[in-house]
Amino acid sequence: MNKLLLSLSVFAATVAMAQAQTKVTGVAKNAATGEEVYNLTVRLDGGAVSDAAITDRIGYFQFVDIPDGTYKLQVYGVGYDPYEKEITVAGQKELDLGDIKLTFNPNTAEVGIITLTDDELSDDESSTASNSGLLQSSRDVFARVSAYELGSYWFKPRGLDNKYNDVLFNGVRMNKMDNGRATFNNWGGLNDVTRRPDELTYGIEPSNYAFGDLGGVTNFDTRPSTMRKGVSLAYSSTNRSYRNRVMATYNTGLMDNGWAFMVSGSRRWAEEGIIEGTFYDAYAYYLGVEKKFNEKHTLNFTSFGAPTRRSTGSPNTQEVVDMMGIYYNSYWGWQDGEKRNERVKKTFEPINMLTHHWNINNKSKLTTTVSYQFGKESSSRLDWFAGNNPSPVYYRNLPSYFAYSGASQSAINNQTELWRSGQISQIDWTSLYEANINNAGRSVYWLTADVNEDKTATAYTNFQTELAPNIDLTIAASYQNTKSQLYREIQDLLGGQYVENKDNFTHARFNILDPDYQPTKGQRQGYNYEINRDYADLFAQSKIKGKFLDVTIGMKAALTKFYRDGKWMHESYQTTSYGKSKTYDFLDFGVKSNFLVKLDGRNFIQANVMYQTEAPTSDEIFPNARVTNVTVDGVESAKIFSSDLSYILRAPRIKARATAFYTRTKDEIEKAFGYIDGANDQVFVSEVMTGVGKEYLGTELAVEAQVLPVLTVSAVASIGQYVYKDNPSYNLYSDDYVKPGNIGVPYQNFGTAYLHNYKVGSGPQSGFSLSAEYRDPKFWWIGVSGNLLANNYIDPAAYRRTVNFFTNEYGELYDINDQDLKAALKQEKLSNEFMLNINMGKTFRIGKYSAGISGTINNVLNNKNYVTGGFEQLRIGNYEKAIDTNYRTLFGPKMFYGMGTTYFANIYFRF
């Protein structure tokens, strides 16, 4: 009897529960045309429910088993204004919302078009690379404006380097092991694929795919069924790094047989970009094949890559800019009537992925990806042995060197005129060939390339489930193995027959295991080694949703292992250059939390807190890896604490956010290369600082108001202060420190670098933007924005802040209160600059087809005074030279200038 009563009770409860569950349905339609809209995201949030759906080919969407309560319905996607509506579920069997009328917005039709170019996204010669937020507009006003308006002038949200941005494809992390940054060139030009990330978090907000770093997580789901169906053709014209771009995409969508196919390709090119002597030649391809076996299992194969060749421009001192202008580039010269650039970057690292999506039930899903990436990155430059430096900006060629050497004013003026006339301002390729031809076969000069050849295998799995109606759980794990071959390869002997495999300064052999080796074109020279890295992590996160408070807690654990395997035995580092090094292990952990207080349906308070440790990169562990596996003392995982507090308003006609943020890092590592002219010696060094600590403090304010149905006004302000907080330990690697017989370690510790309270040279620390946009009902728009970039500082050279700099040749300290000394140590602040942008466009409906044209003009006022960033040269290594006006001019900061007025125009056709 008891069992029968229990069975009846369970049955009754089940029936009651089933009756209390409601199916919510609707159809998304274009408000102007009445046509159904395909592939929009529909979210339903409230109470114990947070779910998402995609509109199908007739605009239909549904949510099943929705309990009673009040919910926020959101509909959004490319080409349409976000739609929000509050709905109430109260015991109905089905709640039919009918037609959801959406406003077509031509301005968002081109979301994902990158107006910054690839060299600005990944230029490894500067710290001004923009973060991954540039890949996609966000519903967050501040994130969108900082990406597209301020970001076009190298503004970085919260001052963070893009190594803190995690970029994922199907959960697989794309960031490199050597510097922690994602190589955006690997998918440059695939805008139709990267147009709509599956997830885009800002700052330390929680992610469903990874623990995340300081700059957030961007994850791309590459299934064709998640992207726009049909054909898309586009042509773009710009005057930046490339001049032309064509793109074509075809997507079948998910067909009745469960298959979906998508192909996309592009080409970007320029015979010469806005910087003198630069060219651009890049292709890109994507292939997606998806098979949906049933409602539970879907398999997706993805292959993409972007073979790219491009040449780069040089950072310059103010002396050179004053003579030659902001577009001057010292890396090229005339050869046979054509401009030839010595600095050419080649990238092709194709990626192949297989992803399985398993919908275990209506509450749980498992996503698993295996990935393999291979290919090369190479960067060419001129090299030489027993010859003079061929660079036009070699310091002995500059007028300030003539002044420093005591030359007459007429000689100084004559050298300046030779520069301005172009007679000595570019590489003399003819003289290089002549030097080689007259040297009995051995090249004095040759073109070489630093090559990084990676092979990376990754396995990633992600399990998401609903433990209870108000509790979600995510568990993710990954393993990644990378084998990276690094070597220098001869590309052109410039008329010679072979090169010496010796160091130009010390004449030490690079490989004594083969002392008679005379490399020729296509062979390795200089260095040859391998870095191996194993990485594994486990991430767990739970979200507890309440009526007034949501709490998310996430944790991670990670294990990283590195070792170096030298293939050559360097004559100066015989015991530390050849064979496998010791293995360096780093066990890291992290914890983060998110608190969202729901004051009502429009007002929210959000707090995020994170603490984590982070293993160093391979470049930081082996700072002089080209010749030795020795690392400095004090290499350990960095410690990072970060927090932010926000007030968020989401009303129908106004959206706003006010945020205060604070980030503190400790025990980071920084490195640089250069030549130091000290009090007693002049040496070429690798600079390594350990125990680097920084503080990032600031506020973010953003308001977007629809003041009229056709007029939207936005205002954004970011006010930051980013400083070095700790005084790091300062080390220098140099061949000059190696004792005879290879005794001792190849570096010296120079004590403390006094960097406390120096500003971090990461671009403008403050940015302000005010914009207005008019959108006509006839589908054309025009927008204008004014942007102020402020509080930008030159990156300080740490050696100048060590005791050695204050010490004369007799070992005596200078008076630290000396005003000239204080002036020499003062960090240079760059000028604040104002930029005006205009964007406009129009879209057309041609039956079932759509077309559009859009354009952006940045820096309409042609402001050429904007310095995006720069760095002090290491060369000035003692106080006496630092206070010499001519010497300080000669080795002044190297700077990166903005580009003046630029434009980007795009036309597309879709069917």
Side-chain angles (χ1 to χ4, degrees):
M1 181 62 67
N2 289 336
K3 291 182 179 180
L4 177 60
L5 290 175
L6 178 61
S7 300
L8 291 174
S9 299
V10 170
F11 176 76
T14 303
V15 171
M17 184 176 294
Q19 291 175 341
Q21 305 291 304
T22 300
K23 181 168 73 171
V24 178
T25 64
V27 177
K29 289 188 176 182
N30 186 309
T33 66
E35 294 180 344
E36 294 84 2
V37 185
Y38 167 71
N39 205 30
L40 295 178
T41 299
V42 186
R43 290 200 63 87
L44 193 64
D45 291 293
V49 173
S50 180
D51 202 359
I54 302 293
T55 60
D56 65 14
R57 280 167 285 187
I58 60 170
Y60 178 79
F61 65 88
Q62 71 173 14
F63 298 93
V64 297
D65 297 335
I66 303 300
D68 291 353
T70 300
Y71 300 91
K72 180 195 292 183
L73 179 80
Q74 297 175 302
V75 187
Y76 53 90
V78 174
Y80 290 87
D81 280 337
Y83 173 93
E84 292 185 4
K85 179 181 181 180
E86 190 174 275
I87 65 172
T88 300
V89 176
Q92 313 97 307
K93 183 176 181 180
E94 180 174 347
L95 175 59
D96 184 0
L97 301 175
D99 294 341
I100 304 295
K101 300 294 183 66
L102 300 169
T103 301
F104 182 72
N105 181 350
N107 194 25
T108 64
E110 289 307 305
V111 167
I113 293 295
I114 304 174
T115 58
L116 289 187
T117 51
D118 294 286
D119 58 328
E120 293 155 349
L121 286 169
S122 61
D123 189 349
D124 58 10
E125 294 181 11
S126 84
S127 61
T128 59
S130 301
N131 66 33
S132 63
L134 291 167
L135 292 175
Q136 170 70 339
S137 172
S138 169
R139 286 180 294 156
D140 180 85
V141 180
F142 181 88
R144 185 179 69 249
V145 173
S146 65
Y148 284 97
E149 301 294 343
L150 299 175
S152 61
Y153 301 107
W154 291 267
F155 171 83
K156 298 178 184 176
R158 303 187 182 181
L160 297 172
D161 188 282
N162 67 359
K163 71 177 182 180
Y164 295 114
N165 291 93
D166 286 345
V167 180
L168 317 176
F169 277 79
N170 299 319
V172 174
R173 191 169 184 260
M174 296 287 111
N175 300 57
K176 291 288 191 176
M177 74 168 187
D178 56 348
N179 58 22
R181 300 182 180 95
T183 303
F184 291 91
N185 280 330
N186 285 332
W187 52 86
L190 296 176
N191 296 63
D192 288 338
V193 178
T194 61
R195 189 181 303 277
R196 292 176 60 193
D198 177 55
E199 180 182 75
L200 178 63
T201 68
Y202 182 73
I204 56 173
E205 294 174 348
S207 161
N208 288 322
Y209 293 94
F211 182 81
D213 214 322
L214 293 172
V217 174
T218 303
N219 182 68
F220 297 100
D221 183 343
T222 62
R223 285 177 292 176
S225 64
T226 66
M227 298 182 227
R228 183 189 175 277
K229 178 185 176 182
V231 175
S232 176
L233 305 173
Y235 169 76
S236 304
S237 175
T238 179
N239 67 337
R240 308 194 80 164
S241 293
Y242 59 82
R243 300 286 184 169
N244 305 279
R245 181 184 70 179
V246 291
M247 296 193 305
T249 299
Y250 172 63
N251 186 359
T252 66
L254 193 63
M255 298 181 289
D256 293 339
N257 59 6
W259 286 94
F261 299 90
M262 179 174 171
V263 292
S264 184
S266 74
R267 190 190 176 202
R268 295 158 292 156
W269 73 96
E271 293 186 7
E272 185 173 50
I274 196 170
I275 302 298
E276 297 174 353
T278 61
F279 70 85
Y280 204 102
D281 187 18
Y283 295 83
Y285 70 88
Y286 159 87
L287 171 65
V289 179
E290 179 182 355
K291 172 60 177 175
K292 184 175 182 180
F293 295 96
N294 49 49
E295 293 302 319
K296 289 183 177 293
H297 296 282
T298 299
L299 199 61
N300 178 42
F301 172 75
T302 303
S303 179
F304 63 90
T308 302
R309 289 178 65 251
R310 62 185 179 91
S311 53
T312 63
S314 59
N316 301 305
T317 63
Q318 191 62 50
E319 175 187 15
V320 173
V321 172
D322 290 342
M323 290 190 296
M324 306 301 294
I326 67 172
Y327 302 124
Y328 169 72
N329 178 14
S330 66
Y331 294 153
W332 70 272
W334 291 102
Q335 181 180 344
D336 298 330
E338 297 184 358
K339 293 180 178 180
R340 183 178 184 181
N341 193 312
E342 62 156 315
R343 303 293 178 103
V344 177
K345 294 181 179 293
K346 298 179 183 178
T347 304
F348 183 37
E349 297 180 296
I351 301 167
N352 297 289
M353 294 179 165
L354 188 64
T355 304
H356 176 240
H357 296 265
W358 180 15
N359 295 319
I360 301 171
N361 51 46
N362 60 357
K363 295 183 179 181
S364 304
K365 63 179 180 178
L366 179 69
T367 305
T368 303
T369 300
V370 290
S371 169
Y372 184 68
Q373 182 178 13
F374 60 97
K376 293 182 181 181
E377 288 183 294
S378 69
S379 300
S380 70
R381 66 175 184 84
L382 281 170
D383 203 355
W384 58 93
F385 183 83
N388 295 322
N389 190 327
S391 173
V393 292
Y394 180 54
Y395 73 94
R396 291 180 180 270
N397 296 332
L398 295 171
S400 57
Y401 176 74
F402 282 63
Y404 172 70
S405 302
S408 65
Q409 189 60 49
S410 62
I412 298 170
N413 294 340
N414 181 63
Q415 190 71 3
T416 302
E417 183 57 33
L418 289 174
W419 263 89
R420 289 176 173 165
S421 66
Q423 296 182 54
I424 62 172
S425 59
Q426 306 301 151
I427 294 172
D428 187 351
W429 289 99
T430 301
S431 68
L432 303 185
Y433 276 85
E434 290 175 349
N436 291 344
I437 293 171
N438 296 327
N439 199 50
R442 180 182 64 81
S443 288
V444 179
Y445 301 97
W446 62 94
L447 196 67
T448 190
D450 294 309
V451 180
N452 188 339
E453 189 173 343
D454 284 353
K455 295 180 176 66
T456 302
T458 307
Y460 169 86
T461 188
N462 182 296
F463 174 70
Q464 297 181 28
T465 188
E466 181 185 293
L467 294 178
N470 65 330
I471 301 177
D472 294 336
L473 175 67
T474 299
I475 299 175
S478 70
Y479 169 75
Q480 188 172 80
N481 172 262
T482 301
K483 291 186 177 180
S484 182
Q485 297 182 53
L486 299 106
Y487 53 89
R488 186 167 287 165
E489 182 179 78
I490 299 171
Q491 291 194 334
D492 193 336
L493 292 166
L494 306 182
Q497 298 176 16
Y498 68 94
V499 303
E500 288 282 2
N501 199 31
K502 293 181 180 180
D503 184 271
N504 183 47
F505 294 100
T506 66
H507 286 208
R509 295 186 182 277
F510 291 125
N511 184 22
I512 63 174
L513 299 177
D514 190 359
D516 298 323
Y517 178 56
Q518 293 181 333
T520 61
K521 182 178 179 180
Q523 293 185 317
R524 300 182 182 187
Q525 184 266 343
Y527 62 90
N528 184 16
Y529 66 98
E530 189 177 276
I531 297 290
N532 286 264
R533 173 183 181 259
D534 284 292
Y535 174 83
D537 71 1
L538 179 64
F539 160 62
Q541 177 176 282
S542 182
K543 181 176 182 179
I544 303 173
K545 296 165 289 187
K547 184 175 182 180
F548 300 108
L549 175 66
D550 291 351
V551 179
T552 305
I553 304 293
M555 295 176 288
K556 77 160 186 180
L559 176 64
T560 311
K561 294 185 176 184
F562 287 98
Y563 72 85
R564 175 189 181 274
D565 188 0
K567 304 303 180 182
W568 286 356
M569 183 180 289
H570 195 286
E571 186 172 6
S572 298
Y573 303 90
Q574 296 179 28
T575 61
T576 60
S577 58
Y578 181 71
K580 292 184 179 181
S581 70
K582 64 171 285 189
T583 298
Y584 293 86
D585 299 340
F586 301 90
L587 183 60
D588 297 293
F589 70 94
V591 60
K592 67 162 53 174
S593 58
N594 169 273
F595 303 91
L596 180 65
V597 180
K598 297 171 280 190
L599 302 177
D600 53 37
R602 298 179 178 181
N603 296 274
F604 307 85
I605 294 176
Q606 178 177 266
N608 292 286
V609 181
M610 182 192 78
Y611 178 82
Q612 70 167 340
T613 63
E614 194 166 85
T617 65
S618 61
D619 279 359
E620 294 166 344
I621 298 171
F622 303 108
N624 206 19
R626 292 180 177 181
V627 295
T628 179
N629 59 35
V630 174
T631 190
V632 298
D633 293 333
V635 175
E636 56 182 295
S637 293
K639 287 81 176 174
I640 300 173
F641 171 81
S642 186
S643 62
D644 60 53
L645 179 65
S646 301
Y647 164 72
I648 302 169
L649 172 64
R650 289 289 182 267
R653 292 188 175 273
I654 185 168
K655 295 178 174 60
R657 174 165 69 85
T659 299
F661 63 87
Y662 173 79
T663 296
R664 181 73 159 89
T665 67
K666 295 177 71 68
D667 294 323
E668 291 192 301
I669 300 169
E670 289 190 355
K671 57 174 289 189
F673 291 95
Y675 191 89
I676 290 182
D677 193 353
N680 296 302
D681 53 5
Q682 296 80 40
V683 291
F684 184 80
V685 298
S686 174
E687 171 190 89
V688 183
M689 292 189 294
T690 60
V692 176
K694 299 175 184 177
E695 180 182 80
Y696 303 83
L697 176 68
T699 60
E700 297 169 343
L701 305 171
V703 179
E704 180 182 78
Q706 188 174 351
V707 295
L708 296 172
V710 294
L711 181 64
T712 302
V713 177
S714 301
V716 160
S718 176
I719 304 171
Q721 178 176 282
Y722 317 134
V723 299
Y724 287 93
K725 207 62 179 174
D726 300 328
N727 291 322
S729 178
Y730 189 88
N731 306 275
L732 290 178
Y733 279 82
S734 175
D735 294 343
D736 294 279
Y737 302 146
V738 180
K739 307 284 194 305
N742 202 226
I743 300 172
V745 294
Y747 72 91
Q748 288 187 12
N749 181 270
F750 286 79
T752 300
Y754 296 95
L755 292 178
H756 179 70
N757 279 343
Y758 275 90
K759 301 295 192 298
V760 176
S762 60
Q765 300 202 356
S766 295
F768 307 87
S769 181
L770 179 63
S771 62
E773 180 183 77
Y774 173 83
R775 292 178 293 163
D776 193 88
K778 295 182 179 180
F779 301 143
W780 64 268
W781 82 91
I782 184 168
V784 61
S785 70
N787 305 281
L788 178 65
L789 293 307
N791 299 328
N792 198 355
Y793 295 85
I794 293 292
D795 201 28
Y799 186 82
R800 299 187 201 177
R801 283 81 189 178
T802 65
V803 172
N804 265 50
F805 183 84
F806 311 132
T807 306
N808 64 21
E809 57 185 321
Y810 307 108
E812 300 167 339
L813 292 175
Y814 293 104
D815 181 7
I816 61 174
N817 293 314
D818 182 86
Q819 293 303 309
D820 289 335
L821 177 60
K822 289 184 177 180
L825 296 177
K826 184 177 180 181
Q827 187 174 13
E828 182 177 348
K829 182 180 180 181
L830 301 169
S831 61
N832 300 339
E833 300 294 341
F834 175 79
M835 305 292 180
L836 184 68
N837 295 347
I838 294 177
N839 67 85
M840 63 198 76
K842 179 171 175 54
T843 60
F844 307 89
R845 285 285 182 179
I846 309 171
K848 296 180 179 180
Y849 308 143
S850 65
I853 184 169
S854 61
T856 299
I857 304 175
N858 284 348
N859 192 2
V860 175
L861 303 178
N862 200 23
N863 182 350
K864 294 185 178 181
N865 299 318
Y866 180 53
V867 179
T868 66
F871 56 92
E872 293 179 347
Q873 296 191 67
L874 292 178
R875 181 85 186 212
I876 302 177
N878 69 81
Y879 166 64
E880 290 183 358
K881 288 185 170 62
I883 62 174
D884 185 301
T885 302
N886 292 316
Y887 195 85
R888 192 165 63 243
T889 299
L890 182 61
F891 296 109
K894 290 288 187 75
M895 294 180 292
F896 300 90
Y897 269 81
M899 293 186 177
T901 300
T902 61
Y903 71 87
F904 185 92
N906 185 68
I907 184 169
Y908 72 87
F909 182 63
R910 293 173 182 158
F911 58 92

